[in-house]
Amino acid sequence: MLLQLPTDRLILEELQDGRNLGANIADEIDRHKKTVTKRLNQLEDYDLVRNIGRGVYEITSRGEIALDHIDQYDRESDQLKAIIDAEFESTE
């Protein structure tokens, strides 16, 4: 899992407030629409967000866990992914 901080954090935080369009997220976090679209696609690949149709995204339970532990993210290790996986499995 390769996150782009602080952009990914801002996207996840914005989606905690509810579903939103990628373009609206870009405006809210003051990032270019192409940047946000690219990051949303990557976050969707990581199962941290879900595209529910027509460019509307929502945060997933894995995304909520990731945001809770994002301060532990280390680009050199996959510790955050391990934390997400462990916590997600314990909630199923």
Side-chain angles (χ1 to χ4, degrees):
M1 178 178 300
L2 204 57
L3 298 180
Q4 299 293 319
L5 299 179
T7 301
D8 290 351
R9 176 198 300 259
L10 293 170
I11 290 170
L12 293 172
E13 287 173 344
E14 188 64 31
L15 288 172
Q16 275 191 312
D17 294 335
R19 297 173 174 167
N20 208 340
L21 288 165
N24 292 344
I25 295 168
D27 288 342
E28 290 295 323
I29 68 170
D30 196 28
R31 297 291 194 273
H32 194 279
K33 184 181 174 189
K34 286 183 181 181
T35 300
V36 170
T37 298
K38 181 179 176 182
R39 295 313 309 151
L40 283 166
N41 288 332
Q42 188 64 62
L43 293 172
E44 186 175 21
D45 287 346
Y46 296 148
D47 194 28
L48 303 182
V49 302
R50 177 182 308 112
N51 183 341
I52 62 168
R54 297 182 177 248
V56 176
Y57 288 85
E58 66 183 5
I59 193 167
T60 64
S61 54
R62 284 182 170 286
E64 294 280 358
I65 295 167
L67 194 52
D68 288 344
H69 299 282
I70 206 158
D71 290 333
Q72 297 172 17
Y73 175 69
D74 177 6
R75 187 177 276 265
E76 302 300 316
S77 72
D78 245 351
Q79 183 176 359
L80 181 60
K81 184 180 181 320
I83 292 169
I84 295 167
D85 290 344
E87 206 167 307
F88 184 75
E89 288 173 15
S90 72
T91 62
E92 289 188 310

